[in-house]
Amino acid sequence: MQWAGLVAPQASVLDLAAGRGRHSIFFADRGHKVTAVDRDVGDLPDHPNIERLKADLEDGSPWPLSDRRFGAVVVTNYLHRPLMPQLLEAVAPGGVLLYQTFMEGNERFGKPSRPEYLLKDGELLELVRGCFSVTAYEARLISDPMAMVQRIAARRLT
Ligand SMILES: C[S@@+](CC[C@H](N)C(=O)[O-])C[C@H]1O[C@@H](n2cnc3c(N)ncnc32)[C@H](O)[C@@H]1O
């Protein structure tokens, strides 16, 4: 929400691993056309601005969005590293990546605690280096709930 103002009015939004769609709803209510992807779309609301796309992102199936590009890609509390190239490619030139998830150190507070679900120090920065302009980056402890997270807001250059 803090960086939603970076997303151009009317820009399309991809909410990857959308869950119950809290970010899909947020952007849809602001007038954006949202594509919400999850393996379980049953909890996603009916909303005229939300396209629900049921897909397992980890079973080896092709990337479900083929070559579609979005004005913003939002990912929160989800990490599956093999998807990173497609996820970055899904951000249109000039579009925005908003990504927040757990990082190493979170195992002190609970789950996720396995390394494959925890970003390494600086990983989101490394991910976008060279292709995105970084507006904001944080790696820190948050308190509600207590968790170690990394978050980035970055604009795709080309
Ligand atoms: C912790 S929830 C985060 C939901 C949402 N992004 C949020 O922050 O409220 C993780 C989401 O990832 C989805 N997910 C996990 N594995 C998946 C897979 N293999 N394919 C698609 N979605 C998956 C789950 O269904 C769940 O909705």
Side-chain angles (χ1 to χ4, degrees):
M1 290 169 69
Q2 186 180 357
W3 299 106
L6 295 175
V7 180
Q10 310 305 320
S12 59
V13 174
L14 169 62
D15 185 4
L16 198 68
R20 295 181 173 195
R22 57 191 176 126
H23 300 114
S24 298
I25 297 163
F26 173 80
F27 282 104
D29 284 347
R30 290 167 71 105
H32 297 273
K33 293 289 183 196
V34 178
T35 300
V37 180
D38 204 286
R39 67 182 170 192
D40 178 5
V41 294
D43 288 335
L44 283 162
D46 277 325
H47 190 298
N49 282 349
I50 298 178
E51 170 198 12
R52 293 185 289 191
L53 184 53
K54 181 176 168 62
D56 191 320
L57 296 164
E58 301 175 18
D59 68 355
S61 306
W63 174 246
L65 296 151
S66 59
D67 57 358
R68 286 175 66 183
R69 300 281 179 275
F70 298 84
V73 173
V74 179
V75 192
T76 58
N77 297 351
Y78 180 73
L79 179 63
H80 183 58
R81 289 185 171 90
L83 294 177
M84 290 303 192
Q86 293 99 319
L87 187 161
L88 295 184
E89 235 353 83
V91 183
V96 173
L97 174 68
L98 300 174
Y99 200 146
Q100 171 174 317
T101 196
F102 304 95
M103 68 175 290
E104 57 189 14
N106 191 66
E107 62 277 9
R108 283 180 282 148
F109 304 104
K111 297 200 174 193
S113 57
R114 287 166 47 185
E116 62 263 42
Y117 298 132
L118 301 178
L119 291 163
K120 297 182 190 318
D121 186 33
E123 189 170 345
L124 286 181
L125 274 180
E126 279 305 313
L127 183 70
V128 303
R129 189 179 300 281
C131 303
F132 285 73
S133 166
V134 175
T135 304
Y137 170 78
E138 287 186 324
R140 67 179 181 92
L141 183 64
I142 59 170
S143 58
D144 186 21
M146 291 280 272
M148 281 295 293
V149 303
Q150 236 169 84
R151 47 172 74 132
I152 199 163
R155 188 177 296 287
R156 184 165 170 179
L157 296 172
T158 55

